Amino acid sequence: MMDFPLHIPFVEAMGFELLRMQGGEADIALTLRPAQHNSLSMAHGGVTMTLLDVAMAHAARSADAPADAAASAPGRGVVTIEMKTSFMRPGTGRLTARARVLTRTIALAFCEASLFDEAGALVAHATGSFKYLTRGAGEGRRVRGAGGD
């Protein structure tokens, strides 16, 4: 296990573990806790989607990083533009998301990720589009229409 290159409080609270992040690929694992279950005692869909999303974002961030680096340029980040998820079977126990960049441009990365259970069975699959941003690009900005505009 390695340290996440950025402090993301939500990811830390979820208990995600960064296993690998380099060359446009990332593997992230999670050992489910009861608080992350739905009413049927399996992974809540939001947990599944978040794990896939975070894995794809880390793959996108690592796309232009040297093979021995854990992250791309320090001032560069990504935000999710869109994501589609298909659920194949219930997620239980320890789950591992494996993500990769399919293709990218200077501004966007198109990724996919698969989520597997401990036995190696496919739990879910996702595709997503991510926009590259300079770190701090969204700080202090006001979204038109928000807050009574």
Side-chain angles (χ1 to χ4, degrees):
M1 186 171 76
M2 55 194 297
D3 291 334
F4 280 94
L6 295 173
H7 169 64
I8 307 171
F10 184 69
V11 168
E12 293 171 9
M14 292 295 290
F16 291 177
E17 302 168 34
L18 181 61
L19 304 177
R20 184 174 66 94
M21 179 185 174
Q22 67 182 40
E25 297 182 349
D27 295 346
I28 297 179
L30 169 67
T31 300
L32 287 169
R33 301 183 306 254
Q36 296 166 324
H37 291 170
N38 62 18
S39 62
L40 302 172
S41 298
M42 57 189 72
H44 186 281
V47 172
T48 298
M49 292 180 73
T50 300
L51 186 52
L52 291 163
D53 177 56
V54 171
M56 289 188 290
H58 279 74
R61 285 192 64 243
S62 76
D64 55 359
D68 61 347
S72 60
R76 195 156 141 128
V78 297
V79 293
T80 308
I81 301 297
E82 63 81 31
M83 181 175 164
K84 178 199 181 295
T85 305
S86 298
F87 298 88
M88 279 56 158
R89 68 176 25 88
T92 58
R94 184 169 173 82
L95 304 174
T96 302
R98 293 189 179 101
R100 69 184 182 109
V101 173
L102 298 171
T103 190
R104 59 183 280 246
T105 68
I106 192 93
L108 299 170
F110 302 91
C111 303
E112 72 174 352
S114 294
L115 185 65
F116 301 94
D117 65 15
E118 292 174 274
L122 182 62
V123 171
H125 183 267
T127 56
S129 304
F130 297 82
K131 180 173 178 56
Y132 289 107
L133 297 176
T134 302
R135 184 122 356 259
E139 294 174 11
R141 287 192 181 172
R142 189 171 172 177
V143 178
R144 185 168 290 221
D149 285 323

